């Protein structure tokens, strides 16, 4: 049995679909079970048909700007909430898959970050996620922490939906060109997570080693590059109806509360080797997303 926490978010909703398609038994919870409340988690687990073998934690406070203003809430959900989940894993023996972020890094590297490199978050959100990782790694042995970046999916708000709305509403927009990372389709990340579960102990064989893994789609780009590709695909499939000029700008041109890493590309060799899979290029996955019948701006 798999317990999917945060089942209605971008990643959680996609994971639910793919878990069902894979024939894996799962149950989900979202805001109906407060992860900061250990007793609430324990009560939910007690009502499950069978004890969870896996817990996948997709729940988090992810609004980077709002975290700067509401630091207490961000720490409460991301750190205290994770601590409660870890405690439940200790009690039930469940293995944990915990989703984290590229924002645990400082962005000063010139090469893709590897899993073992030191973290140095620049904002409250990144700090809370780094601390949540420590809650997992310091107290559990059977866990996978998966850092991802620039996630977009069919449910909820994301950069792709936001850009297409803006491009349809405005003749001209500005997008930063001095922050580099890699877009990640929730479809691809969910597939990798399920493959990780299926590979764990399959036929008595060797499971992928527990620990930290990086997963994004392949390649790298700036937010400006990402926006240009969204515009091109949106025009091609008819989801963008009018011309829009996309201009490059610097991060300094936008007044933000949270500082972002200038370079947060993640090295994915470890997960690629562990799962014997080639990661799709971000442009291909973006095209699949924009052209999909599940694409929904409403």
């Amino acid at each position: 049995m798999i317990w999917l926490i945060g089942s209605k978010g971008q990643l959680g909703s996609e994971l639910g679909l793919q878990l069902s398609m894979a024939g894996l038994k799962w149950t989900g919870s979202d805001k109906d079970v407060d992860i900061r409340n250990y007793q609430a988690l324990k009560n939910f687990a007690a009502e499950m048909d069978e004890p969870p073998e896996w817990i996948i934690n997709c729940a988090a406070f992810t609004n980077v700007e709002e975290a700067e203003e509401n630091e207490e809430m961000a720490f409460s959900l991301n750190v205290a909430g994770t601590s409660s989940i870890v405690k439940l894993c200790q009690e039930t023996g469940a293995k944990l898959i915990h989703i984290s972020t590229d924002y645990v890094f400082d962005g000063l590297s010139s090469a893709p970050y590897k899993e073992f490199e030191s973290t140095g978050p620049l904002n409250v959100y990144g700090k809370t996620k780094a601390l949540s990782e420590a809650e997992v790694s310091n107290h559990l042995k059977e866990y996978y922490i998966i850092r991802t970046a620039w996630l977009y999916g069919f449910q909820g708000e994301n950069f792709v939906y936001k850009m297409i709305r803006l491009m349809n509403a405005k003749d001209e927009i500005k997008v930063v060109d001095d922050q580099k990372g890699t877009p990640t389709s929730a479809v691809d990340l969910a597939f990798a997570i399920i493959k990780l579960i299926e590979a764990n102990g399959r036929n008595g064989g060797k499971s992928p080693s527990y620990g930290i893994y990086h997963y994004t789609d392949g390649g790298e780009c700036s937010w400006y590059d990402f926006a240009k590709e969204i515009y091109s695909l949106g025009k091609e499939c008819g989801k963008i109806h009018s011309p829009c000029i996309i201009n490059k700008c610097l991060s300094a041109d936008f007044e933000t509360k949270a500082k972002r890493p200038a370079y947060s590309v993640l090295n994915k060799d470890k997960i690629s080797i562990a799962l014997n899979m080639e990661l799709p290029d971000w442009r291909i996955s973006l095209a699949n997303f924009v052209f999909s019948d599940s694409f929904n701006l409403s």
Side-chain angles (χ1 to χ4, degrees), residues 2 4 10 42 56 75 82 119 148 166 176 200 202 213 269 286:
I2 298 166
L4 176 57
Q10 283 194 111
K42 190 174 179 178
I56 306 175
F75 272 87
T82 300
T119 59
T148 191
L166 283 173
V176 297
N200 192 278
R202 178 187 291 159
Y213 288 81
D269 291 347
L286 179 62

Side-chain angles (χ1 to χ4, degrees), residues 100-103 105 111-113 147-152 159-160 178-186 188-189 214-227 230 261-268 279-286:
S100 192
T101 174
D102 59 325
Y103 276 25
F105 292 113
Y113 283 97
R147 294 178 181 142
T148 191
W150 298 20
L151 187 69
Y152 62 89
F159 185 76
V160 183
D178 59 350
Q179 294 175 28
K180 287 193 174 181
T182 309
T184 307
S185 165
D188 298 338
L189 178 54
H214 290 168
Y215 185 93
T216 66
D217 288 327
E220 62 181 71
C221 65
S222 68
W223 289 107
Y224 170 78
D225 299 326
F226 192 9
I230 292 167
Y263 185 88
S264 61
V265 179
L266 301 177
N267 183 298
K268 283 84 66 176
L279 279 56
D281 185 86
W282 70 269
R283 294 174 185 84
I284 294 172
S285 294
L286 179 62

Side-chain angles (χ1 to χ4, degrees), residues 191-219:
F191 178 79
I193 291 170
I194 291 171
K195 197 166 183 182
L196 190 63
I197 291 172
E198 292 177 333
N200 192 278
R202 178 187 291 159
N203 300 324
K206 185 178 180 181
S207 302
S209 299
Y210 292 114
I212 300 174
Y213 288 81
H214 290 168
Y215 185 93
T216 66
D217 288 327

Side-chain angles (χ1 to χ4, degrees), residues 120-131:
L122 301 177
N123 53 51
V124 170
Y125 168 66
K127 289 174 184 175
T128 63
K129 293 302 288 182
L131 288 170

